Amino acid sequence: MEQSRNENGAFRTAGEGEAAVLRMEKLCKSYDGKPVLKDFTEELREGECCVLTGPSGSGKTTLLRLILGLEEADAGQIRSPRPLKTSVVFQEDRLFESFNAAENCAAVLGKGPDMPGDREIREALSEILPADELDKPVAELSGGMRRRVCLVRACLYPSDLLLLDEPFTGLDDKNRALCIRFLLKHRKGRTLLLSSHGTEGLEFCREINVVNLN
C-alpha cells in the first residue's frame, strides 16, 4: 500500500499502482493572507530530474519545505509510495563555521557501512574546491565555495531523493558548470528536484514553472 502525507504532515494509506515517486496534489500555502502556492499539482517519477523555475517569492523554497515536512500546507497533500530518504541543500548554508569542508561533511554523514569515509569525502570535495581551501574553516570561504561544500555534503549522503534549493548561488559560469558536472556524476540515478533562477546547463532537467501569485 502507498503512504501519503496530508496537509498536517501525517502519513495515511492510499491506493496502489501509482508510478510517481512523489506526487503533490492541489497544494495551497499562504503567509499572512497572501497566497504563495495555489492548487499546485505535480509529480516526480523514479530517477527523474526536474528544475523549479520562477521569480523570487514565487514559492519554490516553500514547495521544497512542504516536501520536507518543515512547513504545513493549508490544503492539498503530498504522496509517496514509500518512505524516502532525502538529501538536501537548503537555501541557507547550514555549516559549522569553525569546521573545515571535510569536517562539515563528516559531521552530517556520520559513520556507517553505507557512509563515505574521510578519504572519499576529501576526494569528492577536491573535484570542485581548490586544494588549498580544503583545510580552512568554512567561515573563511567565499559564498560560492560554501555552496560547493553544501552540494558535496548532499550528494554524498545515501538517499532516494535530492532536494537542492538554489545550489549554484554565488557561482560564476565556470564553477556553475563544474558543479553541474559534479552533480550529474554523483546523482547515481536518484530523483532530483532543484530550484534555480536560470536553466543554463540544466537541459537534462524537466522544467517546472512555479507561478508567481503576487
Side-chain angles (χ1 to χ4, degrees):
M1 297 297 287
E2 179 185 88
Q3 288 184 316
S4 64
R5 191 170 67 236
N6 62 24
E7 60 268 27
N8 295 318
F11 282 94
R12 66 175 179 80
T13 301
E16 297 180 355
E18 295 188 357
V21 70
L22 191 69
R23 177 172 291 176
M24 296 146 275
E25 299 178 347
K26 295 185 177 297
L27 292 178
C28 298
K29 181 65 178 179
S30 298
Y31 295 101
D32 298 324
K34 296 180 179 179
V36 177
L37 294 172
K38 184 177 180 181
D39 293 330
F40 181 89
T41 298
E42 188 57 73
E43 67 178 30
L44 304 180
R45 297 187 177 275
E46 191 80 46
E48 186 176 24
C49 297
C50 296
V51 55
L52 297 171
T53 60
S56 296
S58 62
K60 301 187 296 296
T61 295
T62 296
L63 179 61
L64 295 176
R65 289 179 63 83
L66 291 175
I67 293 172
L68 288 167
L70 299 176
E71 304 231 10
E72 296 181 2
D74 300 329
Q77 59 184 354
I78 298 173
R79 301 153 61 93
S80 178
R82 66 181 191 278
L84 297 174
K85 290 182 65 177
T86 305
S87 299
V88 186
V89 170
F90 291 95
Q91 191 174 56
E92 62 278 8
D93 294 329
R94 300 196 180 194
L95 297 171
F96 297 101
E97 297 294 330
S98 63
F99 287 13
N100 65 31
E103 290 167 342
N104 264 282
C105 292
V108 171
L109 296 171
K111 303 293 183 181
D114 297 328
M115 295 299 179
D118 294 341
R119 180 177 177 179
E120 186 176 351
I121 291 172
R122 289 187 69 88
E123 287 177 348
L125 287 164
S126 296
E127 293 182 38
I128 56 175
L129 275 175
D132 59 355
E133 304 290 346
L134 294 181
D135 295 312
K136 293 181 179 180
V138 296
E140 298 179 14
L141 301 184
S142 68
M145 289 181 183
R146 292 165 62 92
R147 292 308 279 171
R148 281 177 262 177
V149 176
C150 296
L151 179 62
V152 172
R153 182 176 61 184
C155 286
L156 290 183
Y157 188 82
S159 63
D160 307 298
L161 175 66
L162 282 164
L163 294 181
L164 314 180
D165 195 355
E166 298 287 353
F168 311 122
T169 298
L171 300 179
D172 58 22
D173 292 343
K174 178 181 178 180
N175 282 305
R176 175 187 171 95
L178 180 66
C179 286
I180 290 173
R181 290 195 298 271
F182 178 90
L183 176 59
L184 286 171
K185 176 182 176 180
H186 292 275
R187 184 176 69 89
K188 297 181 178 179
R190 289 176 285 184
T191 305
L192 167 67
L193 179 62
L194 65 89
S195 67
S196 178
H197 287 293
T199 59
E200 182 179 357
L202 299 175
E203 292 80 10
F204 61 93
C205 293
R206 177 170 64 88
E207 184 174 354
I208 300 173
N209 185 253
V210 182
V211 177
N212 190 348
L213 299 178
N214 298 314

